[in-house]
Amino acid sequence: MTTTVARPTAPTKKVKKRAVTKNRGAVIFFITPFAVLFSLFYIIPIIAAIYQSLLTVEREGTFGKPTEVFGGLVQYARVFQDDAFWQSILRVAGFGVVQVPIMLGVALLLALLLDSPLVKGKRFFRLAFFAPYAVPGVIAAVMWGFLYSPNLSPFTAITSEINFLGADLVLWSIANVVTWVFIGYNMIIIYSALLAIPSELYEAARLDGASQARIAWSIKIPLVAPAITLTSIFSIIGTLQLLAEPQVFKSFTSAVTSTYTPNLLIYSTASVPNVNLAAAFAVVLALLTFALSFTVLKLTQRKAD
């Protein structure tokens, strides 16, 4: 006669239910101010712009009272037929292709210098590099506009020979202003990423005989690639939204027109006033900005993988 011995069963683990948040009231209290402000100054303006872009103005006769009616995609058809808008897009695209890599390259170089053990006085240089960002963009554009102006600049020996405000160079003069202002901002982001790298990696590299240049190229730059991607996205968005600097430069030179950049065109169109067409311009510009930023983000993610 055989007896069957029952195997001991493993004790079943009790699945803990997710604890219900007890402080819902506090969470809602802290989130509500952000949600209200985000809705008022971001969500609602976007919805209003889309709604305005779908309207068109009709008049009864030549001098009749204007009335807004639903026009569908009429305004968007005008956008795609507007040569000035697409020329401004191409202009800022060329601006970004040249200016953004130079700005981020210099910002990366300054961040690497600040992170290097060979540099002394890091606090002073960190503040000095970041100081231009504290200057408002309008003030910086006015200051550089005076420096570029042949009659007002203290460097008349240079400005009398080179017309920085001429049609050929004014775009790159604006690029210089933007680069001067935003290098420090991007440098701080990259430098913060450098500070987060574990020091053990540097010690191991030095034990293997790596120089500071080799450490920077093989360890630091690859590990701060996400920060460089982030600053690239910010820079692309800022390039397509270029407004303050060209607006100021209009008072210094006739080479900058009211259609020089997409945002200048939107501003001048809304001032006519043609709010519906300006809203359509803004929506198309926002979609282009999103598409370009998303493409750059996906391309960088693929390279990282």
Side-chain angles (χ1 to χ4, degrees), residues 142-218:
V142 171
M143 180 185 70
W144 280 97
F146 280 115
L147 292 175
Y148 289 141
S149 180
N151 299 326
L152 303 173
S153 174
F155 309 104
T156 53
I158 299 175
T159 55
S160 60
E161 297 294 332
I162 303 174
N163 187 7
F164 292 102
L165 299 177
D168 296 332
L169 293 179
V170 67
L171 182 64
W172 310 117
S173 299
I174 295 172
N176 179 60
V177 178
V178 176
T179 303
W180 181 78
V181 172
F182 286 97
I183 276 180
Y185 171 79
N186 294 299
M187 180 270 297
I188 287 294
I189 295 176
I190 299 172
Y191 181 62
S192 300
L194 286 171
L195 293 178
I197 298 175
S199 59
E200 291 81 2
L201 294 177
Y202 302 150
E203 294 175 1
R206 282 192 289 268
L207 288 175
D208 288 340
S211 63
Q212 290 297 325
R214 183 65 177 174
I215 291 173
W217 181 258
S218 300

Side-chain angles (χ1 to χ4, degrees), residues 24 29 33 42 57 71 74 80 101 115 130-131 163 197 204 206 212 217 220 228 261 264 271:
R24 272 185 191 168
F29 174 78
Y42 192 80
V57 176
V74 172
F80 286 99
D115 193 59
F130 185 74
N163 187 7
I197 298 175
R206 282 192 289 268
Q212 290 297 325
W217 181 258
K220 294 183 178 181
I228 297 174
T261 66
L264 269 179
S271 302

Side-chain angles (χ1 to χ4, degrees), residues 92-122:
V92 296
F95 174 97
V97 167
V98 177
Q99 186 267 338
V100 170
I102 292 175
M103 177 178 65
L104 296 183
V106 176
L108 175 62
L109 178 61
L110 294 179
L112 291 173
L113 288 174
L114 287 177
D115 193 59
S116 172
L118 304 177
V119 176
K120 306 299 181 183
K122 293 183 180 181

